[in-house]
Amino acid sequence: MLELYQSEGCPHCAKVRQTLSELGVSYVIHNPRLPGNAGGDVTNDLTYDELTAGGEDQIPYLVDTGRGEALYESDDIVEYLEQHYG
């Protein structure tokens, strides 16, 4: 299962969502906080804790539970998706 931690107002998250849609990949969206360079307001404490458990307070954050992978940075996520799901 793919889990995307993101925010609707973030252009980097939109890039990842577009790639997922183009590849026809199903995924779950979590909205832990609002966008912002220093971290926007937290909107969901539980998913925010999951986001930061990866070591950063950064969106987008993709977790691929089936492969045991987790990535930050939209370009890295897009490359990963194209490599493994394209």
Side-chain angles (χ1 to χ4, degrees):
M1 174 171 61
L2 294 176
E3 298 184 56
L4 178 62
Y5 294 77
Q6 61 101 52
S7 180
E8 293 299 319
C10 170
H12 304 287
C13 297
K15 178 179 180 177
V16 173
R17 289 193 312 269
Q18 180 177 346
T19 300
L20 286 160
S21 295
E22 288 171 354
L23 294 173
V25 177
S26 296
Y27 61 101
V28 175
I29 288 180
H30 301 289
N31 295 292
R33 66 170 177 79
L34 299 175
N37 289 338
D41 293 340
V42 173
T43 56
N44 184 310
D45 289 327
L46 175 63
T47 59
Y48 181 75
D49 289 345
E50 293 168 356
L51 165 72
T52 56
E56 301 288 335
D57 180 4
Q58 180 179 333
I59 53 175
Y61 175 56
L62 181 79
V63 177
D64 186 341
T65 58
R67 295 181 184 271
E69 297 287 337
L71 300 106
Y72 292 100
E73 299 292 340
S74 59
D75 289 337
D76 293 342
I77 294 170
V78 167
E79 182 179 328
Y80 174 84
L81 291 170
E82 289 173 344
Q83 179 180 8
H84 293 285
Y85 296 92

